[in-house]
Amino acid sequence: MNKTDYSKIAALFDLDGVVLDTESQYTDFWEKIGVEFLKKTGFGSLIKGQTLNNIFETYFPNKDFHKKITESLNNFELNMSLPYIPGAKDFIQGIKKHGIKVALVTSSNQNKMQSVYKKLPDFASMFDKILTAEMFARGKPAPDCYLLGAKLFNLEVEKCVVFEDSFHGLQAGFSAGMKVIGLTTTNPKEKIQHLTHMVIKDFTNLDITLIDQVL
């Protein structure tokens, strides 16, 4: 039996709702923004997985709102809690020890990530590469961010596994031609399974065999 060469495989992780259990906090924040600026409910779920620039371009043509929303978001992110999704940290560190390339691929910007690094000093060292919103022109659901991840590792898309929770993120990984593992941290299994190759609740008691199963 041929042994898997894990050095030629990449695992690409979304941040919120995949590595960090923060989606409910963002939902509450954007729900309030939707009510205040757009007079509509359900906005917190509508924009999941999108970059701030995408949100502004799509939903806030009035640029007078941008500064106030950005300031509110920055203050919110400075004070939000950053718990890990159960098992995420151990899973990432475990597959990395086997030689798998590991990247964070997030719609968050550098300003947000600086807050993460301050609160979680060992966070950045968990990943070989960290891709943020500033690094790609089109945000999720466009596949650009995940295609860039494959390119930076010099790997074929068929050798990349995406971990996502939001519809936009799942679509991005699926459109990139990669294997997609969906987490039910944000949406139930029956609503996301058509965009995935496998669905998991979280990373509890999971290890390298999960990668073997999906590839």
Side-chain angles (χ1 to χ4, degrees):
M1 180 181 294
N2 294 328
K3 186 177 180 180
T4 301
D5 184 356
Y6 291 120
S7 68
K8 295 181 179 179
I9 297 173
L12 311 176
F13 294 84
D14 176 44
L15 177 61
D16 298 292
V18 174
V19 180
L20 298 180
D21 191 6
T22 47
E23 274 301 334
S24 61
Q25 296 176 69
Y26 275 113
T27 298
D28 290 344
F29 172 82
W30 284 109
E31 188 67 20
K32 293 174 183 176
I33 292 295
V35 170
E36 179 180 352
F37 291 91
L38 302 175
K39 310 305 178 187
K40 64 185 297 184
T41 60
F43 192 63
S45 299
L46 185 64
I47 53 80
K48 285 185 182 297
Q50 299 184 56
T51 65
L52 183 59
N53 285 340
N54 288 156
I55 294 170
F56 282 160
E57 290 174 3
T58 305
Y59 302 104
F60 296 95
N62 185 347
K63 294 186 177 180
D64 292 338
F65 292 159
H66 295 189
K67 182 178 180 180
K68 185 175 181 180
I69 293 173
T70 299
E71 289 176 349
S72 295
L73 179 60
N74 289 342
N75 289 331
F76 165 76
E77 289 178 336
L78 283 174
N79 296 294
M80 68 188 302
S81 60
L82 300 176
Y84 281 96
I85 292 291
K89 188 173 183 179
D90 288 341
F91 178 78
I92 294 169
Q93 293 174 333
I95 65 172
K96 191 176 180 184
K97 288 179 180 178
H98 283 274
I100 287 181
K101 305 291 193 302
V102 178
L104 185 74
V105 183
T106 177
S107 297
S108 298
N109 56 30
Q110 279 291 343
N111 186 70
K112 152 71 176 296
M113 294 312 299
Q114 291 305 316
S115 295
V116 173
Y117 302 150
K118 288 179 181 178
K119 292 183 179 181
L120 304 173
D122 61 342
F123 186 85
S125 64
M126 292 168 55
F127 302 92
D128 298 303
K129 297 184 183 299
I130 294 179
L131 284 65
T132 59
E134 294 86 352
M135 299 176 69
F136 34 89
R138 298 188 303 168
K140 304 168 185 177
D144 302 31
C145 56
Y146 285 117
L147 293 174
L148 177 60
K151 181 179 180 181
L152 292 176
F153 285 133
N154 194 29
L155 292 173
E156 299 296 324
V157 294
E158 293 82 5
K159 293 295 184 181
C160 296
V161 181
V162 168
F163 291 85
E164 271 284 1
D165 66 308
S166 71
F167 290 117
H168 288 108
L170 293 163
Q171 183 63 62
F174 208 78
S175 297
M178 299 176 177
K179 298 297 184 182
V180 179
I181 296 178
L183 281 83
T184 58
T185 51
T186 301
N187 299 290
K189 180 178 180 178
E190 59 270 20
K191 290 190 175 182
I192 65 172
Q193 57 187 0
H194 67 290
L195 291 172
T196 72
H197 297 88
M198 184 182 295
V199 177
I200 59 176
K201 178 183 178 182
D202 54 36
F203 297 95
T204 303
N205 297 324
L206 295 179
D207 56 24
I208 193 70
T209 57
L210 180 66
I211 303 294
D212 294 328
Q213 292 174 37
V214 78
L215 286 177

